[in-house]
Amino acid sequence: MDANTGLKPSFLNRDGVRLAHFEAGQANPRTPPLILINGWTGDHRIFTPQIDHFAQSRRVVAINLRGHGASDAPLQEYTIAGFADDIAWQCTELGLHRPVVVGHSLGGAIALELCGRYPELASGLVMIDSIVMPRKELRHAAEIHQLPQGIGGPNYLAVSRANAWEIGCDHDDPARRKAIFDEYILPPCENTPQHVAFSAIKNAIDHHLEPAADACRIPMAYISADVPLVNMARDLDRLKELCPQLVVAKTMLAGHFNTIEVADQVNAMIERFLAVGLGG
């Protein structure tokens, strides 16, 4: 049982690979289910407040990406398209009809790919502080490739920990920031095998989301945070060109892990999207 959510993992076997998910709430014909997608070297814990909140009104399924959390981590390539295919298969197996897909960080990019590859699958999409439509001039910039180089090197864990700490930013009380990091961020970070982390980040940098965005016509929201790296790397103007239905919001004075740091803000924004945005 997970100490944070109080939920036990359930597993689906896809071609010999166990894919984990955590489920809460009851199916409600009046409210679409939520499927929550964790980010790179994370797991469902990043959504602990959202699971608690939204399970009061609907079915909530928080997946662990292949190679992350309680899911198996076979030796293979880990790609945005592969993650998306896994989740589409899981939705079918779990009977999730027209869910709203919510992705944090890399999970947001995977969510966009999922909804573009499977345009009839979801009823709505929410991306939270995700690098989407990375600017062309940054794809080959040296600083962008420093992280995968470090992740692929002998100091993998130190690099991974430092990256996770830095992207959290320094908006919160120092003691609270460290407590959030130690409880929700560091354990899955240290649990993600090096081959998974390296392959996933390398392939994510090289992945182009334009085709998926161009195919995505469902209601779509983006919730940003105060993270300079993410602000610099993404191109929301380009995403808006491809997806004019996109609505954008921002949490106030919160870092990359805003789903926990300012859960009340994130929950209110998702609630508003569910109540109004899905009908737009």
Side-chain angles (χ1 to χ4, degrees):
M1 181 178 292
D2 183 81
N4 298 294
T5 62
L7 301 174
K8 294 180 180 179
S10 298
F11 298 92
L12 296 173
N13 191 306
R14 187 179 189 206
D15 298 327
V17 177
R18 294 194 320 159
L19 300 176
H21 65 276
F22 294 75
E23 187 162 346
Q26 300 295 322
N28 185 334
R30 296 185 300 276
T31 56
L34 295 189
I35 184 160
L36 309 178
I37 306 174
N38 64 270
W40 181 62
T41 72
D43 66 10
H44 60 286
R45 276 173 275 199
I46 193 66
F47 291 115
T48 298
Q50 287 70 50
I51 295 170
D52 291 343
H53 178 79
F54 289 100
Q56 299 174 38
S57 61
R58 67 194 67 230
R59 185 182 181 193
V60 179
V61 176
I63 63 104
N64 283 176
L65 291 172
R66 179 182 294 242
H68 295 69
S71 291
D72 287 348
L75 290 171
Q76 62 167 86
E77 287 294 317
Y78 288 79
T79 67
I80 300 292
F83 288 133
D85 288 342
D86 276 345
I87 297 165
W89 178 85
Q90 287 171 290
C91 286
T92 299
E93 292 294 305
L94 293 169
L96 290 170
H97 177 67
R98 302 284 287 168
V100 174
V101 183
V102 181
H104 175 260
S105 191
L106 182 66
I110 294 166
L112 179 57
E113 179 72 18
L114 171 71
C115 294
R117 288 169 76 84
Y118 301 90
E120 302 302 319
L121 184 147
S123 61
L125 165 63
V126 179
M127 296 160 281
I128 303 176
D129 210 42
S130 305
I131 295 179
V132 289
M133 304 293 120
R135 301 179 188 279
K136 293 180 180 178
E137 63 271 19
L138 291 176
R139 283 192 180 275
H140 303 292
E143 59 266 30
I144 295 299
H145 294 274
Q146 287 176 355
L147 179 58
Q149 288 171 1
I151 293 298
N155 296 320
Y156 157 61
L157 277 178
V159 172
S160 185
R161 291 188 200 106
N163 175 74
W165 175 260
E166 183 178 352
I167 203 168
C169 295
D170 196 19
H171 299 291
D172 213 335
D173 172 80
R176 184 170 186 260
R177 180 188 177 190
K178 187 175 187 306
I180 289 172
F181 182 77
D182 289 345
E183 184 171 357
Y184 300 97
I185 313 305
L186 187 60
C189 174
E190 293 184 327
N191 186 57
T192 306
Q194 183 176 17
H195 70 274
V196 175
F198 176 71
S199 178
I201 193 67
K202 171 178 65 71
N203 288 316
I205 290 173
D206 293 333
H207 187 78
H208 291 267
L209 281 165
E210 285 85 353
D214 195 43
C216 193
R217 292 292 174 263
I218 59 174
M220 179 187 303
Y222 186 100
I223 301 173
S224 68
D226 286 306
V227 181
L229 172 64
V230 180
N231 293 340
M232 173 192 69
R234 69 181 178 223
D235 190 347
L236 295 184
D237 290 339
R238 176 58 178 153
L239 183 59
K240 183 77 171 179
E241 288 177 9
L242 295 169
C243 304
Q245 75 274 26
L246 175 72
V247 294
V248 178
K250 183 178 182 179
T251 51
M252 183 179 292
L253 298 174
H256 189 57
F257 308 115
N258 56 357
T259 53
I260 297 173
E261 190 176 10
V262 288
D264 55 340
Q265 294 183 39
V266 172
N267 291 350
M269 291 176 185
I270 295 175
E271 284 280 15
R272 184 65 175 173
F273 178 72
L274 294 172
V276 179
L278 292 186

